[in-house]
Amino acid sequence: MTSFRATAIAILLSYSASFSHGFSSCPVASRSAVTSSSALSMESKNDRRTFLTESVLTLTAGLTAATLNPTPASARVFLDPAMYGDQELRVSAVDSLRESVRRALLQKPTLTPYFLEMALLDSLSFDVETNGGGPDGSIIKAVMTSKDTDAHTKALQECATVLIDAKKNLKKLSSITIADAVALAGAEAVNAVGGPILPTQLGRTEAAAKAPIPASMPPLNLFTGDVDNEIVADTFRTAGLTEREMTALLGCLLGVDSIEKATPEGSWKESSKPKFREAGKIGRMSDFKKLTDEDIEAELAKDGVDDDEESYTVSGDDGWYIADTFGTADTRFGKSLNKEKPELSTTLKNLAKTSSSSTQYSWVSGFLLSKDLPTAQSWVVKYGSKPLLYEKDLKVAYNAVTQLGAEYTGGKYESLLKNKKRKTLNDDELEFLR
């Protein structure tokens, strides 16, 4: 404000100086000329006063208007795929985050759908009309500052805490933005229940620490069933998503929760190695008979070792967990929540039979099968009968929703992808899968 006033005063003074210089340099030839010049000078002074007065009023009015009607800020999400530099650093950061999320899910499987919820809520904050909002990690601030104390909000806060802690731990070796962490966690939740690995573009810039939560941020209870169905549909439309994409994403949310609820509880520390208990098969002695102290003494006596000479007891080993395998490619970030690999499309196939006892997202059934959404109904039928089509569409839809409103920046990516129109599922050319 002070700098603006100083600039305005400087402009006025420059105008005053130019006028004074122009009038003081007028030649004087005769008395009549002087009289005429004096008259002109008086008239000019009046004109100058009028000009200065009008200028001050105009500047004051403009300053007042700018103060009373500030231009609304439009949040933008910039995406730089080369942000993490070296490929090894990028892979290390992503793998560490996925491992942290998988560990949290193994210890508390009920958090699985909430990681996916956070990723969707963060992305659905984008407004296609204003080009504001988007997946910049603002959902973390919205969740952590929420004063609600219901179970749903507390679960979201637990998920947010996991991501915040993972980001802090990663700072010791590498780094990752909280916006990328939210998107990756949602994809990892799907993979943890046996779903496909959803592609996720990296390089999102996160919102500034003091930036306010976007006004377009959806309500945190958008997926609880407490919000009117029309609001849910309008949220997807406002973000620029089609009914086909909405069906794929909501079907995934419903499927993830249904699979998690149907999976029996078990110990995440339990070994995944097969146990051989039949006689004649290779196995451990403890698989056939629990060893007693007498058995151990007998074995030591055979080796000629006296138990008094050497102790085999390690103090403080209670509760230790030693992994006996690094797992396969599907379990290298931790075991899956279920032993079998179910198909997410099965949930859409049996959508009409969904009940509140099997999932907390039972409202999705009535929503997608509503007469107001005929396009969604048709895609429910197609996805339920064609698992390959659904998996392909889900990958495209998740990758698209987590990039809504992102503006590519940085070298070749900016020149190739900036201002490029988003390709929706309706633009897909793979007709043979439909």
Side-chain angles (χ1 to χ4, degrees):
M1 181 71 72
T2 304
S3 60
F4 182 80
R5 289 177 177 172
T7 304
I9 293 173
I11 294 174
L12 293 177
L13 290 176
S14 64
Y15 274 115
S16 176
S18 62
F19 274 109
S20 300
H21 176 73
F23 283 104
S24 63
S25 60
C26 292
V28 181
S30 62
R31 183 177 298 271
S32 59
V34 171
T35 304
S36 177
S37 177
S38 299
L40 290 174
S41 178
M42 292 298 294
E43 183 178 356
S44 299
K45 288 181 179 180
N46 292 333
D47 292 340
R48 185 170 60 186
R49 290 194 186 96
T50 303
F51 171 76
L52 293 176
T53 303
E54 292 178 352
S55 298
V56 171
L57 291 176
T58 302
L59 290 173
T60 305
L63 183 61
T64 304
T67 305
L68 297 179
N69 301 310
T71 303
S74 177
R76 299 295 299 275
V77 180
F78 292 96
L79 201 154
D80 182 9
M83 175 187 297
Y84 298 104
D86 188 84
Q87 183 177 359
E88 293 183 1
L89 294 177
R90 181 173 68 252
V91 172
S92 175
V94 171
D95 289 354
S96 298
L97 180 78
R98 294 182 63 182
E99 184 181 358
S100 299
V101 173
R102 185 67 67 92
R103 188 185 304 114
L105 294 179
L106 290 173
Q107 295 180 12
K108 193 170 183 179
T110 54
L111 295 179
T112 307
Y114 297 104
F115 278 106
L116 181 57
E117 263 197 49
M118 281 207 310
L120 294 179
L121 289 172
D122 196 36
S123 300
L124 291 175
S125 65
F126 175 66
D127 190 332
V128 71
E129 294 294 333
T130 63
N131 207 29
D136 60 356
S138 295
I139 185 62
I140 298 295
K141 179 181 290 187
V143 167
M144 298 304 291
T145 57
S146 176
K147 297 181 180 179
D148 296 334
T149 58
D150 56 283
H152 177 265
T153 303
K154 288 183 178 179
L156 290 177
Q157 290 174 342
E158 286 188 57
C159 294
T161 302
V162 170
L163 298 184
I164 293 173
D165 292 342
K167 177 178 170 61
K168 290 180 180 178
N169 294 332
L170 277 173
K171 283 185 177 180
K172 300 175 183 178
L173 301 175
S174 56
S175 63
I176 194 169
T177 65
I178 198 67
D180 281 345
V182 171
L184 287 169
E188 186 60 26
V190 176
N191 185 238
V193 297
I197 299 177
L198 302 181
T200 307
Q201 179 63 60
L202 300 178
R204 296 167 190 77
T205 55
E206 57 189 38
K210 296 183 179 180
I213 300 172
S216 56
M217 177 67 68
L220 298 182
N221 62 344
L222 183 68
F223 300 118
T224 61
D226 298 333
V227 179
D228 188 80
N229 288 347
E230 184 59 31
I231 296 178
V232 177
D234 186 63
T235 301
F236 280 88
R237 295 192 195 102
T238 302
L241 295 174
T242 64
E243 286 191 20
R244 180 179 176 183
E245 291 166 328
M246 179 182 68
T247 303
L249 294 171
L250 288 180
C252 178
L253 184 62
L254 176 62
V256 166
D257 187 62
S258 299
I259 294 172
E260 189 279 317
K261 292 289 192 300
T263 303
E265 295 183 3
S267 174
W268 66 282
K269 295 182 180 180
E270 184 180 357
S271 175
S272 58
K273 284 186 175 181
K275 293 183 178 181
F276 304 94
R277 298 185 179 278
E278 298 179 11
K281 297 292 183 70
I282 298 176
R284 298 175 181 176
M285 184 181 297
S286 57
D287 290 338
F288 300 96
K289 178 184 177 182
K290 183 177 181 180
L291 297 178
T292 62
D293 294 338
E294 290 76 11
D295 294 331
I296 296 176
E297 290 178 0
E299 290 298 322
L300 292 176
K302 292 179 183 180
D303 296 334
V305 179
D306 189 358
D307 191 37
D308 295 335
E309 297 178 359
E310 186 174 357
S311 175
Y312 290 87
T313 302
V314 180
S315 61
D317 61 349
D318 293 338
W320 285 7
Y321 170 62
I322 301 177
D324 56 3
T325 177
F326 290 104
T328 61
D330 295 335
T331 60
R332 62 194 179 106
F333 300 113
K335 294 191 301 180
S336 298
L337 298 185
N338 53 339
K339 297 181 179 180
E340 300 179 357
K341 189 174 181 179
E343 292 181 348
L344 291 174
S345 61
T346 304
T347 305
L348 291 174
K349 184 178 181 179
N350 303 322
L351 189 61
K353 302 178 182 178
T354 303
S355 62
S356 57
S357 59
S358 60
T359 174
Q360 61 182 334
Y361 303 106
S362 57
W363 62 270
V364 174
S365 174
F367 176 67
L368 294 180
L369 297 179
S370 172
K371 295 180 180 179
D372 298 331
L373 300 173
T375 305
Q377 286 187 27
S378 63
W379 282 111
V380 166
V381 175
K382 290 181 181 179
Y383 288 154
S385 59
K386 298 180 179 181
L388 181 61
L389 172 63
Y390 178 60
E391 183 173 317
K392 176 192 73 67
D393 276 11
L394 178 59
K395 291 179 179 179
V396 176
Y398 188 81
N399 190 39
V401 74
T402 52
Q403 295 186 53
L404 288 176
E407 181 177 326
Y408 282 86
T409 181
K412 61 180 182 180
Y413 297 104
E414 181 176 2
S415 60
L416 291 174
L417 301 173
K418 186 175 181 180
N419 298 327
K420 187 176 181 180
K421 184 180 179 182
R422 184 180 75 86
K423 186 177 181 180
T424 69
L425 286 177
N426 293 343
D427 301 326
D428 195 358
E429 299 176 356
L430 301 180
E431 295 288 345
F432 67 93
L433 287 174
R434 299 183 182 179

